[in-house]
Amino acid sequence: MEDREEYVRYRQDRAVLAAVGAHLESQIGQISVRLPRPVAESAVAAWDREELGRLGEETREEYELRDDAAELAFIGLAITSRGVWDAEEVVVDLDVARIAAALRAAR
């Protein structure tokens, strides 16, 4: 099957987007953020959760859901390892990729 012209351009655009990311990665590593306690505790619970079942073949939607769950668990790991609890919030330095994943999920 031959690629449609739009998708060839989209692949080129993705390559440029990746180049932008490569330049930004060295400039931006982690950002200090504040999260409310209930959200932070849920992220920590996602990190602590045991996933025992084997996954079979996934649809794209199922893969994306699992990927988002993994991003939440990585935020939980960051909170567990370096978060500073302050009353009803936690302050934690998060990797920009984790922040971007959370922002995408909020859309």
Side-chain angles (χ1 to χ4, degrees), residues 33-35 78-79 81-87 89-93:
V33 299
R34 290 182 168 275
L35 297 172
I79 292 168
S81 62
R82 60 182 179 273
V84 178
W85 294 94
D86 177 23
E89 294 182 315
V90 65
V91 178
V92 63
D93 291 344

Side-chain angles (χ1 to χ4, degrees), residues 65-107:
L65 284 171
R66 186 172 53 81
D67 190 53
D68 285 348
E71 292 291 351
L72 177 63
F74 285 130
I75 291 171
L77 170 61
I79 292 168
T80 299
S81 62
R82 60 182 179 273
V84 178
W85 294 94
D86 177 23
E88 289 304 308
E89 294 182 315
V90 65
V91 178
V92 63
D93 291 344
L94 288 182
D95 183 273
V96 174
R98 306 288 87 78
I99 294 171
L103 292 173
R104 274 193 307 275
R107 286 186 187 171

Side-chain angles (χ1 to χ4, degrees), residues 20-60:
V20 169
H23 288 284
L24 293 177
E25 186 174 29
S26 65
Q27 298 174 52
I28 303 171
Q30 294 186 340
I31 297 174
S32 184
V33 299
R34 290 182 168 275
L35 297 172
R37 181 175 289 275
V39 172
E41 288 174 342
S42 293
V44 170
W47 171 249
D48 290 338
R49 184 172 49 233
E50 292 283 330
E51 300 289 348
L52 301 175
R54 285 194 59 156
L55 297 175
E57 190 172 325
E58 295 178 305
T59 66
R60 181 169 181 84

